[in-house]
Amino acid sequence: MQDLEQIYSSYIDCLNRQDWLRLEDFVAADVVHNDRRFGLDGYRRMLESDFRAIPDLYFKIDLLVVDTQKVASRLAFDCTPVGQLFGLPVNGRRVRFSENVFYLFSEGRIVQVWSIIDTGVIEAQLA
């Protein structure tokens, strides 16, 4: 489990550095995200789009639970998205929110991701 915790921490570091060439070290070629088969290229495009929408995006691990093949993480974000975020008109306002995300690993790589983002807290900040 220690290895999986280290792999996950390295994956988050990879995202924060936007080191897309190393993404394949952590994510399987046929990765599934929220029951949609993205594949590695689609997963990378999703992340690149996230960074375009949120130039100061930074993934901070707030809570981490590791099992033999699974990781549960609560990620905390404090950022300033441009335009809309999750269909909400943020338009450059600073927002804080969390993502609860669950990963299934196989052979040291992420093969499935289930992600739930707390959009309600963003709506409350915009009100």
Side-chain angles (χ1 to χ4, degrees):
M1 287 190 295
Q2 183 68 24
D3 288 341
L4 194 53
E5 183 175 344
Q6 181 57 45
I7 290 168
Y8 183 72
S9 293
S10 296
Y11 161 72
I12 293 297
D13 289 341
C14 176
L15 298 184
N16 285 330
R17 289 190 321 274
Q18 299 179 55
D19 187 357
W20 308 129
L21 294 177
R22 290 211 50 226
L23 191 61
E24 68 183 343
D25 294 344
F26 306 101
V27 179
D30 58 349
V31 67
V32 175
H33 181 272
N34 285 349
D35 296 327
R36 294 179 301 179
R37 190 166 302 280
F38 269 26
L40 179 60
D41 290 336
Y43 194 76
R44 185 190 69 250
R45 283 192 301 272
M46 175 190 68
L47 290 165
E48 289 171 336
S49 176
D50 290 345
F51 276 94
R52 279 192 300 277
I54 311 169
D56 61 347
L57 182 61
Y58 184 82
F59 292 76
K60 179 182 177 229
I61 300 170
D62 190 38
L63 178 65
L64 184 62
V65 178
V66 179
D67 195 349
T68 57
Q69 291 183 303
K70 297 175 188 137
V71 168
S73 181
R74 181 172 174 85
L75 300 171
F77 300 95
D78 183 348
C79 55
T80 314
V82 296
Q84 290 201 352
L85 179 67
F86 314 121
L88 301 170
V90 178
N91 299 321
R93 291 182 59 189
R94 181 179 176 195
V95 291
R96 293 179 191 93
F97 62 95
S98 295
E99 175 183 16
N100 296 310
V101 62
F102 306 89
Y103 304 86
L104 177 63
F105 282 75
S106 178
E107 298 179 6
R109 287 192 172 90
I110 298 166
V111 294
Q112 192 150 9
V113 180
W114 297 272
S115 167
I116 302 166
I117 296 173
D118 186 356
T119 56
V121 74
I122 298 170
E123 290 174 332
Q125 291 171 67
L126 298 176

